């Protein structure tokens, strides 16, 4: 099956939390990617981050190819749209044929079988026409990515099989099969391997009409058959011929269906890349710098912008830097209200998702240490959907935190925003201190925005935990 997302064995399903909504995914990308269907697929893929550098570069190269060959993207989208319509028509036609075949009256058995053969042949020609047209489109562009080159190679293989084996000519003949009451005529030529080499539906091999075993041998033995005759079938012969025609129809159906499934797998991938191109164009239009990140043992981002602020058309947005060296276990961020610390943390969290999906990030330069999973946890408000008469804010936060801590794998990243604000600061500090130490023990990195001063005191002499004071950094002012 074709796959231009490289998902197999390379992505992890992140735990979707109630507080993850605070990253404003939908609000941010509603203006960036207007089409709701494309946006839905795009965000779903973004949230399932890749964890292998090779896979990320694989996507980066495809994005670069589409940036250089934009019409190819449109050609593939057009192919997918036509294939979707084709699938609906094909399924409806198959249902109609099955209804005909369900009528067991002898006079219609052969007619139903021939109808099935005609329909499957007709739709085979349609899907191969779309495939060959797409192959022509690929030949017009200078593509370099492994992902798109693999599609181009597959299209060439299919063209070779369709024409060099004369399949398309056989199918054309099958479309022209006719029935006149119980009279029909056709001619089969089997090659030396016992496969159909030619079909001319004007004649019939008469000697096997009353011998079921001969019919079976016809489609299994290595032999050539060239004979013509016009006949009127007996009931038994009618059934035998009908079954053999249905066998051919089933083969054509299976081939057609396999092509549909193979290329249908491209749909989500193309929607993702379409959304990615719109994302890039949107930021370029806003004059926001973009860079394809590299990946190493530490994280260092220079001039990072917050996507949500950009999407809201705010002016004077100040970019920020972020550094998380490989020896660090965690990072504490504090500052006065409205200083920009939550936005700062959000921009970091979102950029990790963007970077590990294979897209460029809104920054001058960026290097990331790949996270196995990425989680975000926000303090719950009194109006949160998760808060119930049975569970208050603190209980909801603890439950959500517990779900993530026990599911997170080593080398994951968890981002906290003002957790445990609803309990006594001393108790909250001690609780978070032990939780963060447990995460560090599991080799899980963490970043936390907090007002709890006692937490900073507990980590005062720990050089493995970075402490950032927002009020000391003018660049962190997002106003």
């Amino acid at each position: 099956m074709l796959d231009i997302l490289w998902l197999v064995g390379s992505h992890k399903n992140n735990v979707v939390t109630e507080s993850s909504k605070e990253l404003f995914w939908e609000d941010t990308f509603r203006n960036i990617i207007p089409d709701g269907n494309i946006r839905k697929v795009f965000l779903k893929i973004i949230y399932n981050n890749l964890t292998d550098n090779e896979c990320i570069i694989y996507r980066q190269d495809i994005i670069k190819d589409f940036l250089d060959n934009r019409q190819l993207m449109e050609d593939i989208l057009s192919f997918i749209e036509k294939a979707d319509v084709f699938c609906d028509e094909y399924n409806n036609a198959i249902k109609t044929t099955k209804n005909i075949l369900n009528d067991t009256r002898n006079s219609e058995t052969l007619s139903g079988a021939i109808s099935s053969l005609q329909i499957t042949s007709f739709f085979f020609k349609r899907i191969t026409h779309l495939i060959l047209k797409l192959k022509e489109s690929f030949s017009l562009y200078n593509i370099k990515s492994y992902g798109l080159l693999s599609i181009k190679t597959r299209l060439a293989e299919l063209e070779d099989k369709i024409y060099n084996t004369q399949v398309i000519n056989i199918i054309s003949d099958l479309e022209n099969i006719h029935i006149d009451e119980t009279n029909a005529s056709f001619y089969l030529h089997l090659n030396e391997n016992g496969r159909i080499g030619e079909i001319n539906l004007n004649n019939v091999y008469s000697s096997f009409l009353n011998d079921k075993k001969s019919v079976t041998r016809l489609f299994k033995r290595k032999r050539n058959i060239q004979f013509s005759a016009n006949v009127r079938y007996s009931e038994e012969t009618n059934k035998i011929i009908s079954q053999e025609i249905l066998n051919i129809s089933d083969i054509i159906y299976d081939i057609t269906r396999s092509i549909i499934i193979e290329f249908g797998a491209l749909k989500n991938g193309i929607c993702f890349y379409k959304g990615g191109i719109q994302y890039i164009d949107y930021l370029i239009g806003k004059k926001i710098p973009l860079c394809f990140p590299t990946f190493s043992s530490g994280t260092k981002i220079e001039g990072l912008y917050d996507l949500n602020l950009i999407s809201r058309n705010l002016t004077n947005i100040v970019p920020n830097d972020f550094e998380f060296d490989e020896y660090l276990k965690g990072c504490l961020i504090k500052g006065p209200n409205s200083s920009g610390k939550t936005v700062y943390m959000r921009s970091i969290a979102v950029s990790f998702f963007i970077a590990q999906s294979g897209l460029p990030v809104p920054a001058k330069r960026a290097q990331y240490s790949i996270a196995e999973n990425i989680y975000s946890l926000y303090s719950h408000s009194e109006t949160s959907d998760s808060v119930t008469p049975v569970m208050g804010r603190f209980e909801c936060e603890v439950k959500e935190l517990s779900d993530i801590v026990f599911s997170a794998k080593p080398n994951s990243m968890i981002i906290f925003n003002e957790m445990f604000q609803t309990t006594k600061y001393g108790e909250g500090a001690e609780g978070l201190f032990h939780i963060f130490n447990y995460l560090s023990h599991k080799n899980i990195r963490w970043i936390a925005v907090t007002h709890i001063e006692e937490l900073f005191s507990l980590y005062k002499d720990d050089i493995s935990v970075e402490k950032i004071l927002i009020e000391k950094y003018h660049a962190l002012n997002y106003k």
Side-chain angles (χ1 to χ4, degrees), residues 77-183:
L77 281 171
S78 175
F79 164 81
I80 290 173
E81 290 171 358
K82 291 177 181 177
D84 280 344
V85 173
F86 167 87
C87 287
D88 290 339
E89 293 177 352
Y90 190 42
N91 289 333
N92 290 334
I94 292 298
K95 288 179 182 178
T96 300
T97 303
K98 287 182 177 179
N99 290 335
I100 295 174
L101 292 174
N102 285 335
D103 190 336
T104 58
R105 287 178 297 172
N106 179 58
S107 61
E108 294 188 4
T109 301
L110 184 58
S111 177
I114 292 174
S115 294
S116 174
L117 188 57
Q118 289 174 321
I119 289 171
T120 53
S121 301
F122 171 72
F123 280 101
F124 176 86
K125 284 188 65 179
R126 284 188 60 185
I127 194 64
T128 52
H129 173 75
L130 290 177
I131 291 294
L132 296 175
K133 189 172 182 181
L134 184 60
K135 191 262 181 183
E136 291 176 6
S137 295
F138 267 82
S139 66
L140 300 175
Y141 304 102
N142 180 28
I143 55 177
K144 303 174 182 178
S145 64
Y146 179 82
L148 294 186
L149 284 174
S150 66
I151 298 176
K152 185 175 182 179
T153 299
R154 180 58 179 149
L155 290 168
E157 290 174 353
L158 285 174
E159 181 186 42
D160 181 67
K161 289 181 179 180
I162 290 169
Y163 282 108
N164 288 354
T165 58
Q166 296 183 323
V167 173
I168 204 70
N169 295 329
I170 295 171
I171 299 302
S172 296
D173 284 337
L174 290 174
E175 277 190 86
N176 297 323
I177 192 169
H178 62 276
I179 177 72
D180 180 15
E181 295 180 347
T182 56
N183 286 301

Side-chain angles (χ1 to χ4, degrees), residues 245-290:
I245 291 176
L246 287 174
N247 288 341
I248 299 173
S249 178
D250 288 343
I251 292 171
I252 298 170
Y253 172 80
D254 289 340
I255 295 171
T256 305
R257 182 172 174 77
S258 67
I259 293 174
I260 292 172
I261 292 173
E262 181 177 13
F263 284 85
L266 294 174
K267 184 173 183 178
N268 282 350
I270 293 301
C271 285
F272 167 74
Y273 290 113
K274 176 69 173 179
I277 295 296
Q278 291 178 345
Y279 155 78
I280 292 170
D281 287 344
Y282 184 89
L283 294 184
I284 291 175
K286 297 286 185 180
K287 297 183 175 8
I288 301 295
L290 282 166

Side-chain angles (χ1 to χ4, degrees), residues 148-376:
L148 294 186
L149 284 174
S150 66
I151 298 176
K152 185 175 182 179
T153 299
R154 180 58 179 149
L155 290 168
E157 290 174 353
L158 285 174
E159 181 186 42
D160 181 67
K161 289 181 179 180
I162 290 169
Y163 282 108
N164 288 354
T165 58
Q166 296 183 323
V167 173
I168 204 70
N169 295 329
I170 295 171
I171 299 302
S172 296
D173 284 337
L174 290 174
E175 277 190 86
N176 297 323
I177 192 169
H178 62 276
I179 177 72
D180 180 15
E181 295 180 347
T182 56
N183 286 301
S185 60
F186 58 92
Y187 155 75
L188 295 173
H189 175 79
L190 274 65
N191 61 26
E192 60 183 8
N193 295 317
R195 297 179 180 274
I196 298 174
E198 295 179 24
I199 294 182
N200 187 325
L201 298 168
N202 296 316
N203 306 294
V204 67
Y205 184 67
S206 61
S207 66
F208 69 80
L209 293 180
N210 295 313
D211 182 355
K212 187 174 182 179
K213 292 182 180 179
S214 295
V215 177
T216 303
R217 288 199 303 272
L218 172 64
F219 287 87
K220 290 185 177 180
R221 288 184 57 187
K222 297 180 181 179
R223 59 182 300 188
N224 292 313
I225 299 172
Q226 296 184 29
F227 196 92
S228 63
N230 291 307
V231 298
R232 180 174 294 276
Y233 301 121
S234 67
E235 180 177 348
E236 182 63 24
T237 300
N238 192 314
K239 291 179 180 179
I240 294 172
I241 297 299
S242 297
Q243 187 57 54
E244 295 304 329
I245 291 176
L246 287 174
N247 288 341
I248 299 173
S249 178
D250 288 343
I251 292 171
I252 298 170
Y253 172 80
D254 289 340
I255 295 171
T256 305
R257 182 172 174 77
S258 67
I259 293 174
I260 292 172
I261 292 173
E262 181 177 13
F263 284 85
L266 294 174
K267 184 173 183 178
N268 282 350
I270 293 301
C271 285
F272 167 74
Y273 290 113
K274 176 69 173 179
I277 295 296
Q278 291 178 345
Y279 155 78
I280 292 170
D281 287 344
Y282 184 89
L283 294 184
I284 291 175
K286 297 286 185 180
K287 297 183 175 8
I288 301 295
L290 282 166
C291 71
F292 282 97
T294 58
F295 297 89
S296 187
S297 55
T299 296
K300 187 174 182 179
I301 312 170
E302 181 182 339
L304 176 65
Y305 285 81
D306 181 72
L307 278 177
N308 183 258
L309 295 182
I310 296 171
S311 69
R312 288 157 55 190
N313 295 316
L314 300 179
T315 58
N316 301 320
I317 301 173
V318 180
N320 294 283
D321 300 338
F322 176 73
E323 191 166 349
F324 197 103
D325 291 330
E326 58 182 305
Y327 68 86
L328 291 176
K329 298 176 181 176
C331 176
L332 290 172
I333 303 171
K334 70 175 182 177
N337 291 331
S338 302
S339 62
K341 59 186 181 297
T342 297
V343 173
Y344 178 54
M345 184 218 66
R346 183 180 67 207
S347 67
I348 295 168
V350 170
S351 76
F352 263 93
F353 282 102
I354 296 291
Q356 287 188 220
S357 69
L359 295 171
V361 295
K364 289 182 180 179
R365 279 173 288 276
Q367 172 188 292
Y368 290 85
S369 175
I370 293 176
E372 184 71 16
N373 292 98
I374 307 166
Y375 306 98
S376 63

Side-chain angles (χ1 to χ4, degrees), residues 7-24:
L7 291 178
V8 179
S10 62
H11 78 296
K12 310 294 179 184
N13 289 318
N14 285 301
V15 177
V16 180
T17 63
E18 170 68 22
S19 57
S20 293
K21 297 178 181 178
E22 298 297 332
L23 292 179
F24 299 111

Side-chain angles (χ1 to χ4, degrees), residues 30 54 75 101 208 226 292 354 379 382 396 430 465 476:
R30 186 175 291 112
E54 184 180 0
D75 291 346
L101 292 174
F208 69 80
Q226 296 184 29
F292 282 97
I354 296 291
S379 173
E382 295 290 358
C396 288
E430 185 177 357
V465 176
L476 295 181

Side-chain angles (χ1 to χ4, degrees), residues 466-479:
E466 180 81 2
K467 276 78 72 174
I468 298 177
L469 306 178
I470 294 295
E471 62 265 28
K472 291 186 178 181
Y473 293 88
H474 173 72
L476 295 181
N477 182 5
Y478 276 90
K479 292 183 178 179

